[in-house]
Amino acid sequence: MQIPIRINPSSEQSLQQQVFDAVRGLILDGNLKAGAPMPSSRALSEQLQVSRNTVILAYERLIVEGYLETRPSVGTFVNSDLPEQGLFATGSEEREAAVPDRLPLAGFRGARPAVVNPNRHKLAVDFWVGRPDPHTFPTKAWRRLMLHHLSTGGSQLTEYGDPAGLYSLRLAISEFLGPARGIQTDPERIVVVSGIQQALNIAARLLIRKDTNAVVECPCYQGAAYVFDSYGADLRPVPVDEDGLDTRQLHDIDARLAYVTPSHQYPMGTTLSIVRRIELLEWANNKGAYILEDDYDSDFRHNGSPLTALAGLDCYGAVIYMGTFSKSIGAALRLGYMVLPSHLVEPARTAKALLDNGHSWLDQAVLADFLTNGHYTNHLRRIRQMYRDRRDCLIDALVEYFGPVQLSGLEGGMHIVWHLPDDLPDAAECQSLAENAGVGVYSLDGGAATDCGVPGPRDRTLLLGYSSLTPSQIRDGVVRLSRALPAVSESRIASRASR
Amino acid sequence: MQIPIRINPSSEQSLQQQVFDAVRGLILDGNLKAGAPMPSSRALSEQLQVSRNTVILAYERLIVEGYLETRPSVGTFVNSDLPEQGLFATGSEEREAAVPDRLPLAGFRGARPAVVNPNRHKLAVDFWVGRPDPHTFPTKAWRRLMLHHLSTGGSQLTEYGDPAGLYSLRLAISEFLGPARGIQTDPERIVVVSGIQQALNIAARLLIRKDTNAVVECPCYQGAAYVFDSYGADLRPVPVDEDGLDTRQLHDIDARLAYVTPSHQYPMGTTLSIVRRIELLEWANNKGAYILEDDYDSDFRHNGSPLTALAGLDCYGAVIYMGTFSKSIGAALRLGYMVLPSHLVEPARTAKALLDNGHSWLDQAVLADFLTNGHYTNHLRRIRQMYRDRRDCLIDALVEYFGPVQLSGLEGGMHIVWHLPDDLPDAAECQSLAENAGVGVYSLDGGAATDCGVPGPRDRTLLLGYSSLTPSQIRDGVVRLSRALPAVSESRIASRASR
């Protein structure tokens, strides 16, 4: 008895593996039926010209895996319990291709926020938003702390930890938040998360079900709008003006939550005024709503002191505060935190545990020391000055090459907003023209923001991040930009010619 | 004009901060009404006996934050746009306490899986399940790779990356899975996740909505059952016997997914037979369902070769495979991966991006090198032998101190299952008696498993993890256990007395 197997002696795979795969394939394809007799190991070894031991080992594995069975002093057979008909009668690739939509996804509405610029490698100068300067990464301190914790971590390196996060890190964060953001909290109210994106998921899991009303800023950060939408929320966009979210338009809206970026509205860069902060808190209290405060880049306040966070003003237990180290140290760390009203702490811890059983220990231990030893304060002082200088450089260069420019969002953060003059094309066109010239500048859509489908004058708004570029790169970028954008206005042409 | 403020010169807070806080407090509490005149900086500095400059700086900040406003050549006033009535008329602590349930959580059903033993610090010997030995953590290689990537990472340390994971890591995983698990895949079908818990969330977001039928094993891993439940699934528990999930009971069940642990069922430790593997795949294909294959500890196969994963047999595009490094390197890493049918890759990437924008770069880069350079294969070889020896040691010790014992789950993994003899109390009672004697052994409930509310004979099943204990600790633990558990049987008493 022979079976249709071929062996390739020059293959990278062992002969034993080839025999195993071939026999298994014959069984799964229905060419060897349940209960069929197999050739003896001697016969198959002669057929294939391989050692008998090779066949025996392959048979043993096929027996262990249940494809074959032996009957003492009779021989080896295909497992008679296997289903009768051929199991996988044709090649697997075609079959999967034939059922591309085996099932609709269960109500999953998903759009992906654009946190990475897909064209970044084509650009000479990229004003992409919200990027720290890679050279500011505190490599030296990080290395030292990492080596220390790797040597002394012991079982903390191998075991699960508290899903709410390492206590020492939560303590360090709580001590930072008092002076920095005016938030009095204790470590018990903090949950360590892998960035604000995860914090949004935790809040969404607690507060959103299908058709839950969720107020978002218009325009809004994509990552927030998309995640609420993916959980079935009914988005209620409320416009943003120069004082931030227009709270006067909230009164008629019943919602379970409002998502806001009060320190430096994303993308428009405005700061929520104290009057509106109070109105927002009162609205939340009246409606029984929660406020999700996304404080993504509040570490950078260029003019005056930082404003007290909404969470620092909250006396209703209505504010869920979300902070991150993505902007101040690096997004690749994936470390952030939430500060929760006390009655939401336990549900949030459970939601975090269900999501991923807590964050990586080593990164948390290193960051805790980095905060506690004063490294972070020094680090912030250094990069604050650097980013302020870069902001000034960008403003100067824009004025020099484009004349009087209308800018906003200057008080803080890592990007500015340029309200385009009438003689320039709209923002999407500017983005495209600039890209062709090797410069990245961004319309709201291109810059991870969304207008939630509400049309507005936003198509004349251009976002320029400055924090990751040196002054000479910034100037170079603006020069390139001035050449790339059509100069339709006489005065601008004159202004350029005189240079 | 005086206002009711006191300053404490010996406070740690600066005088300026104290003035700021005090005035702000008076405004927020309604003691200083909107539009009310403020004392001049000179008057307030005399009242408080602080320098005039201190008051001026505090006023400036209050003006920037919008609490005060100046009218040229008239004076400084409380912002007249602030709401009329007192905002926060009583202390904030009482108020939050008065609204503990400001809102019901929106349909959030959350129970927390017990991945950390809360009593671990009280135990002399802890047979907690699924723990790698902390001494096996590859500190030396990890340190070297980490230093290398910290020095050369550049902007990868500070920027967002591909939410699906680092390409080099996905490539390394795909190359590992062929020989190790019989899964032919390419890096495009892999998504790096922060452990199987997150993989379960991604699958749940794609497949589960309210009242979606989800088959789970009975008993089942808590982390899976709880997460499906939290997304609204209707759990359909199907019993497990010595061949794994009883697929004969599937025929009448219409479900969108089945969650299984085929290599080493959690918690019962059995292996899904090849016949049932095929039946399960056929069921999925007939019903249009997906199979979630949780391969949490398949790196440890003590007897014979590893079985081919379900994903390696799947020709319907029906299997979502989930693997982890939590058992082989350490849970504190929070690193795992999914292998997806090609038509689910894009939705899964989107779900991952929406969850957390991808995993930490440094850990991925280190792990990729660890896999690629052959460290991982060597590491696995070393700990496989070690864990097998420990399993043998545990079996020997149980036989020595308890006589013939009925065990299962021996073929692989990191824990065994002891089916308690009639003369011992039930598992919960044994767990409690052992704990009092400083030994951790676990009933299904205590060991992160759940019977999903289906009563069964499971209350006589005890779980003992062995991988993190040395042979002498294992023997010590069994000796303590033999003293802690009541010896009601004559033969057992005799057996002990003879020692």
Side-chain angles (χ1 to χ4, degrees):
Chain A
M1 179 179 59
Q2 289 211 334
I3 53 174
I5 295 183
R6 274 193 212 160
I7 295 297
N8 176 2
S10 59
S11 158
E12 280 188 10
Q13 284 207 307
S14 71
L15 295 172
Q16 181 199 325
Q17 181 72 41
Q18 290 187 57
V19 175
F20 174 85
D21 285 345
V23 172
R24 197 181 68 151
L26 289 173
I27 295 171
L28 293 176
D29 291 348
N31 292 310
L32 281 172
K33 303 284 189 196
M38 291 293 293
S40 71
S41 56
R42 183 185 307 272
L44 189 58
S45 76
E46 284 169 7
Q47 175 195 331
L48 300 175
Q49 297 290 302
V50 300
S51 83
R52 190 173 166 202
N53 207 40
T54 297
V55 176
I56 288 174
L57 289 170
Y59 272 24
E60 277 179 0
R61 206 173 135 205
L62 287 159
I63 291 165
V64 167
E65 294 217 11
Y67 294 98
L68 300 182
E69 58 189 7
T70 51
R71 295 180 208 149
S73 50
V74 181
T76 305
F77 299 82
V78 177
N79 184 341
S80 52
D81 290 336
L82 290 174
E84 287 282 322
Q85 76 267 41
L87 299 165
F88 306 127
T90 60
S92 66
E93 280 170 36
E94 299 116 68
R95 200 174 302 102
E96 185 176 348
V99 282
D101 301 310
R102 56 182 292 116
L103 267 186
L105 301 179
F108 178 66
R109 310 195 290 214
R112 213 180 298 174
V115 292
V116 181
N117 175 9
N119 298 316
R120 63 193 179 284
H121 300 300
K122 298 184 209 153
L123 299 172
V125 181
D126 189 1
F127 292 97
W128 184 251
V129 285
R131 303 159 81 190
D133 186 327
H135 299 101
T136 64
F137 186 85
T139 312
K140 214 169 133 191
W142 217 259
R143 184 163 50 209
R144 197 168 47 70
L145 295 172
M146 226 157 206
L147 287 180
H148 168 70
H149 286 292
L150 258 181
S151 307
T152 59
S155 65
Q156 296 172 107
L157 284 163
T158 55
E159 306 252 343
Y160 291 96
D162 185 334
L166 197 62
Y167 186 81
S168 60
L169 176 57
R170 289 187 280 135
L171 181 64
I173 290 169
S174 71
E175 287 172 351
F176 170 76
L177 285 174
R181 310 296 298 116
I183 301 172
Q184 306 305 324
T185 182
D186 49 58
E188 279 67 33
R189 281 175 50 207
I190 293 177
V191 173
V192 175
V193 295
S194 54
I196 283 179
Q197 194 65 33
Q198 186 176 60
L200 292 167
N201 276 270
I202 291 173
R205 295 225 57 199
L206 300 187
L207 304 178
I208 294 177
R209 62 168 175 246
K210 196 166 176 312
D211 301 328
T212 296
N213 280 341
V215 167
V216 293
E217 298 168 321
C218 181
C220 172
Y221 173 54
Q222 284 178 356
Y226 292 176
V227 89
F228 300 152
D229 181 62
S230 80
Y231 285 99
D234 195 358
L235 298 185
R236 305 295 299 267
V238 169
V240 164
D241 63 19
E242 59 277 6
D243 283 336
L245 185 82
D246 187 351
T247 46
R248 295 164 299 186
Q249 301 193 35
L250 280 177
H251 299 302
D252 300 331
I253 301 181
D254 283 315
R256 173 154 288 171
L257 65 100
Y259 165 80
V260 289
T261 48
S263 293
H264 192 236
Q265 202 272 335
Y266 196 83
M268 300 306 285
T270 53
T271 302
L272 192 67
S273 71
I274 182 65
V275 174
R276 293 195 178 174
R277 282 172 195 244
I278 292 166
E279 281 177 354
L280 181 59
L281 286 164
E282 294 295 327
W283 170 82
N285 188 45
N286 289 337
K287 301 288 188 183
Y290 286 95
I291 299 168
L292 273 54
E293 178 176 25
D294 178 349
D295 216 19
Y296 66 106
D297 69 358
S298 63
D299 289 316
F300 308 110
R301 186 82 198 160
H302 303 317
N303 302 345
S305 332
L307 296 197
T308 302
L310 277 171
L313 296 175
D314 177 28
C315 57
Y316 300 125
V319 176
I320 299 172
Y321 179 89
M322 302 177 287
T324 182
F325 298 95
S326 290
K327 308 305 173 195
S328 55
I329 303 180
L333 268 189
R334 310 309 306 120
L335 266 166
Y337 52 91
M338 315 174 76
V339 184
L340 293 138
S342 47
H343 57 284
L344 286 188
V345 169
E346 276 308 308
R349 286 180 177 203
T350 299
K352 169 67 177 170
L354 283 175
L355 272 177
D356 64 7
N357 282 323
H359 203 84
S360 155
W361 176 80
L362 186 59
D363 295 335
Q364 292 189 81
V366 169
L367 181 59
D369 277 5
F370 190 75
L371 287 168
T372 310
N373 298 348
H375 292 300
Y376 189 59
T377 314
N378 292 337
H379 173 75
L380 279 182
R381 191 177 306 128
R382 196 160 56 89
I383 60 177
R384 260 184 206 135
Q385 181 62 50
M386 178 188 281
Y387 294 170
R388 182 160 46 224
D389 292 347
R390 290 174 179 191
R391 176 201 62 164
D392 293 344
C393 172
L394 175 57
I395 297 171
D396 290 349
L398 285 172
V399 169
E400 181 174 346
Y401 286 88
F402 288 90
V405 284
Q406 196 194 339
L407 305 175
S408 62
L410 309 178
E411 291 73 20
M414 307 161 90
H415 76 278
I416 64 168
V417 177
W418 182 11
H419 305 275
L420 291 168
D422 294 340
D423 63 346
L424 283 182
D426 70 20
E429 172 81 6
C430 284
Q431 176 178 336
S432 165
L433 289 168
E435 189 182 311
N436 293 338
V439 182
V441 295
Y442 299 94
S443 68
L444 298 189
D445 242 20
T450 172
D451 61 8
C452 303
V454 178
R458 316 293 185 187
D459 58 351
R460 304 205 56 78
T461 305
L462 213 53
L463 307 177
L464 291 89
Y466 48 80
S467 45
S468 68
L469 299 172
T470 64
S472 71
Q473 289 173 317
I474 289 173
R475 291 189 64 82
D476 178 34
V478 172
V479 170
R480 287 168 184 259
L481 192 63
S482 72
R483 292 185 190 134
L485 301 184
V488 290
S489 132
E490 288 298 320
S491 66
R492 183 155 311 136
I493 293 169
S495 148
R496 281 193 207 177
S498 71
R499 227 168 277 126
Chain B
M1 179 179 58
Q2 289 211 334
I3 53 175
I5 295 185
R6 276 194 208 159
I7 294 297
N8 176 2
S10 60
S11 158
E12 280 189 10
Q13 284 207 307
S14 71
L15 294 173
Q16 181 199 328
Q17 182 72 42
Q18 290 186 58
V19 175
F20 175 85
D21 285 345
V23 172
R24 197 180 68 152
L26 288 174
I27 294 170
L28 292 175
D29 292 348
N31 293 310
L32 282 172
K33 303 283 186 195
M38 291 293 295
S40 71
S41 56
R42 183 185 306 272
L44 189 57
S45 76
E46 284 170 5
Q47 175 195 331
L48 300 175
Q49 296 290 304
V50 300
S51 83
R52 191 173 165 203
N53 207 40
T54 297
V55 176
I56 289 174
L57 289 170
Y59 271 24
E60 276 178 0
R61 207 174 135 205
L62 287 159
I63 291 164
V64 167
E65 294 217 8
Y67 293 98
L68 301 183
E69 58 190 8
T70 51
R71 295 180 208 151
S73 51
V74 182
T76 304
F77 299 82
V78 178
N79 184 342
S80 52
D81 289 337
L82 290 174
E84 287 282 321
Q85 76 267 43
L87 300 163
F88 307 125
T90 61
S92 66
E93 280 170 36
E94 298 117 65
R95 199 173 303 102
E96 187 177 346
V99 281
D101 302 309
R102 56 183 290 116
L103 269 185
L105 300 179
F108 178 66
R109 308 196 290 213
R112 211 179 300 175
V115 292
V116 181
N117 176 8
N119 298 317
R120 63 194 180 283
H121 299 301
K122 298 183 209 152
L123 299 173
V125 181
D126 189 2
F127 292 97
W128 185 249
V129 285
R131 304 160 81 189
D133 186 327
H135 300 100
T136 65
F137 187 86
T139 312
K140 214 170 133 189
W142 218 258
R143 184 163 47 209
R144 196 168 48 70
L145 295 172
M146 226 157 207
L147 288 180
H148 169 69
H149 287 291
L150 259 180
S151 306
T152 60
S155 65
Q156 295 172 109
L157 284 164
T158 53
E159 305 252 343
Y160 291 96
D162 186 335
L166 197 62
Y167 186 82
S168 60
L169 176 58
R170 289 186 281 132
L171 181 64
I173 291 170
S174 71
E175 287 173 351
F176 169 78
L177 285 174
R181 310 295 300 115
I183 301 173
Q184 306 304 324
T185 182
D186 49 57
E188 280 68 33
R189 281 175 49 206
I190 292 177
V191 172
V192 176
V193 295
S194 54
I196 283 178
Q197 194 65 33
Q198 186 177 60
L200 292 167
N201 276 270
I202 291 173
R205 295 224 58 200
L206 300 186
L207 304 178
I208 294 177
R209 63 168 174 247
K210 196 167 177 313
D211 302 328
T212 296
N213 280 340
V215 167
V216 293
E217 298 169 320
C218 181
C220 173
Y221 173 54
Q222 284 178 356
Y226 292 176
V227 88
F228 300 152
D229 181 62
S230 80
Y231 285 99
D234 195 359
L235 298 185
R236 305 294 301 265
V238 170
V240 165
D241 63 20
E242 60 276 8
D243 283 335
L245 184 83
D246 188 351
T247 46
R248 295 164 299 187
Q249 302 194 35
L250 280 177
H251 299 301
D252 300 332
I253 300 181
D254 283 316
R256 173 155 286 172
L257 65 100
Y259 164 81
V260 289
T261 47
S263 293
H264 192 236
Q265 201 273 334
Y266 196 84
M268 300 306 284
T270 53
T271 302
L272 192 67
S273 70
I274 182 65
V275 173
R276 292 195 178 173
R277 279 170 198 247
I278 291 166
E279 281 178 355
L280 181 58
L281 286 164
E282 294 296 326
W283 170 82
N285 187 45
N286 289 337
K287 301 290 188 183
Y290 286 95
I291 298 168
L292 272 54
E293 179 175 25
D294 177 349
D295 217 18
Y296 65 105
D297 69 358
S298 64
D299 289 316
F300 307 110
R301 186 81 198 161
H302 302 317
N303 302 344
S305 332
L307 297 197
T308 301
L310 278 171
L313 297 174
D314 177 28
C315 57
Y316 299 126
V319 176
I320 299 172
Y321 179 89
M322 303 177 286
T324 182
F325 297 96
S326 289
K327 309 304 173 194
S328 55
I329 304 181
L333 269 189
R334 311 309 306 121
L335 267 165
Y337 52 91
M338 314 174 77
V339 184
L340 294 137
S342 47
H343 57 283
L344 286 188
V345 168
E346 276 308 308
R349 285 180 178 201
T350 299
K352 169 68 177 168
L354 283 175
L355 272 176
D356 64 7
N357 283 322
H359 203 85
S360 154
W361 176 79
L362 185 59
D363 294 337
Q364 292 190 83
V366 169
L367 180 60
D369 277 4
F370 190 75
L371 287 168
T372 310
N373 298 348
H375 292 299
Y376 189 58
T377 314
N378 292 337
H379 173 75
L380 279 182
R381 189 177 306 127
R382 195 161 57 89
I383 59 176
R384 262 185 204 133
Q385 181 64 50
M386 178 188 280
Y387 294 170
R388 181 161 48 226
D389 292 347
R390 291 174 180 190
R391 176 201 62 164
D392 293 343
C393 171
L394 175 56
I395 297 171
D396 290 350
L398 285 173
V399 169
E400 182 174 345
Y401 285 88
F402 289 90
V405 283
Q406 196 194 341
L407 305 176
S408 62
L410 307 179
E411 290 74 20
M414 307 162 90
H415 76 278
I416 64 169
V417 176
W418 181 11
H419 305 277
L420 291 169
D422 295 339
D423 63 346
L424 283 183
D426 70 21
E429 171 82 10
C430 283
Q431 177 178 334
S432 164
L433 289 168
E435 190 182 310
N436 292 339
V439 182
V441 295
Y442 299 94
S443 67
L444 298 190
D445 244 20
T450 171
D451 60 9
C452 302
V454 178
R458 316 294 185 187
D459 58 349
R460 305 206 54 79
T461 305
L462 212 54
L463 307 177
L464 291 90
Y466 49 78
S467 45
S468 69
L469 299 172
T470 64
S472 71
Q473 288 173 318
I474 289 173
R475 291 188 64 83
D476 178 35
V478 173
V479 170
R480 286 168 185 259
L481 192 62
S482 72
R483 291 185 191 135
L485 301 184
V488 290
S489 131
E490 287 298 320
S491 66
R492 180 152 316 133
I493 293 168
S495 150
R496 282 194 205 176
S498 72
R499 227 169 280 125

